[in-house]
Amino acid sequence: MTTTPPPRTARFYIVAVLVGLAAGLLSGLFGVGGGTVIVPALVFFLGFNQRLAAGTSLAAIVPTAAVGVVSYALTGSVSWIAALILAAGAIVGAQIGTWLLHRLPLPVLRWGFVGFLVLVIISLYIVIPSRDAEIEFTIISTIGLVLLGLITGILAGLLGVGGGIVVVPVLIILFGASDLEAKGTSLLMMIPTALSGTVGNIRRKNVDLPAAVAIGIAACTTTALGAWIATLVDPFIGNVLFSIFVAFIAVQMALRAIRAQRSGS
């Protein structure tokens, strides 16, 4: 795969729109940015390299997350203070992540991420969120939110994901959030995180803006639908569905790491 953008054919825009529709639905349903769908799709279907796909994905997440936040806010499922604290750490982390994108061996990072996702899957069957639960703010929890935001921002910059795959389960398991509050808060945190990472990626020419715009606009049309479906799903069933989604991502990342090792990249 080369770093040159693919030709702007009808197929290019059709694929981008279809990817956006799928990413938007998952974003609203699970409180993620959709990068876990966007990045591999850009690599496999449009021939993007890993870095360009990650940067393009992060840019497309901005409008997607914005629509998701509005959808969750209408049901009161956003912790604005927690999101701002997370964002403070994530903005810094995103800059670190985009800087590391050119310097770290990605296979090592992927294997570490796969291990984390396995722990997340196990935890989702131990802790079942209550719809009435809310995040409680103490000095310790505030520091924890900043650190979580920092780690999430680094992963966002490195992998092109909004960070929801990390933030949602951690807010539920460690911070006592309900599943809906975790998803809404995660989406709000993503907006400044993705903006920060995108600025860094644009400077480093790691963004295909036409693809990002097409994907982002398409995703906005299905994000609200996903958020509405999330309110209808029982918290335990929501955990099961999210664990299946996380398992799919873990397998995907593991396969990508294996291919990277075989190719020596």
Side-chain angles (χ1 to χ4, degrees):
M1 286 171 243
T2 65
T3 57
T4 56
R8 304 291 187 258
T9 61
R11 177 183 178 276
F12 173 90
Y13 288 105
I14 290 173
V15 170
V17 168
L18 291 175
V19 169
L21 293 174
L25 184 65
L26 291 174
S27 177
L29 182 58
F30 295 125
V32 299
T36 45
V37 174
I38 297 170
V39 173
L42 290 179
V43 171
F44 296 138
F45 298 121
L46 292 181
F48 280 48
N49 65 47
Q50 177 70 31
R51 288 182 172 83
L52 185 60
T56 301
S57 170
L58 205 58
I61 283 170
V62 176
T64 309
V67 173
V69 168
V70 173
S71 302
Y72 277 96
L74 291 175
T75 60
S77 300
V78 177
S79 175
W80 301 90
I81 295 176
L84 291 175
I85 296 172
L86 285 166
I91 289 172
V92 176
Q95 291 300 312
I96 297 172
T98 55
W99 179 78
L100 290 173
L101 188 60
H102 281 285
R103 292 165 175 81
L104 280 184
L106 293 179
V108 173
L109 177 71
R110 292 189 189 114
W111 280 119
F113 196 47
V114 168
F116 170 79
L117 293 181
V118 171
L119 293 177
V120 167
I121 293 170
I122 295 172
S123 300
L124 286 171
Y125 287 92
I126 297 175
V127 179
I128 306 302
S130 166
R131 281 280 156 91
D132 298 323
E134 293 182 352
I135 298 172
E136 295 185 4
F137 296 98
T138 64
I139 294 177
I140 294 176
S141 66
T142 300
I143 294 173
L145 287 170
V146 173
L147 292 175
L148 174 59
L150 182 68
I151 294 170
T152 301
I154 292 173
L155 289 174
L158 276 168
L159 299 176
V161 298
I165 197 73
V166 176
V167 171
V168 172
V170 173
L171 286 181
I172 293 172
I173 296 165
L174 297 184
F175 293 89
S178 71
D179 59 326
L180 295 182
E181 183 185 40
K183 293 171 184 178
T185 303
S186 169
L187 287 168
L188 179 56
M189 177 274 304
M190 282 178 207
I191 298 174
T193 305
L195 281 171
S196 174
T198 297
V199 169
N201 281 324
I202 289 175
R203 286 203 304 264
R204 298 173 179 88
K205 298 181 179 179
N206 275 339
V207 179
D208 187 307
L209 288 177
V213 170
I215 293 169
I217 292 175
C220 287
T221 65
T222 54
T223 304
L225 174 62
W228 175 70
I229 294 173
T231 64
L232 304 178
V233 176
D234 178 80
F236 175 74
I237 300 300
N239 269 20
V240 172
L241 293 175
F242 191 63
S243 70
I244 294 172
F245 175 68
V246 173
F248 170 77
I249 300 306
V251 171
Q252 185 182 83
M253 295 293 290
L255 292 175
R256 195 180 304 169
I258 293 171
R259 282 194 295 268
Q261 287 179 333
R262 290 176 177 174
S263 63
S265 60

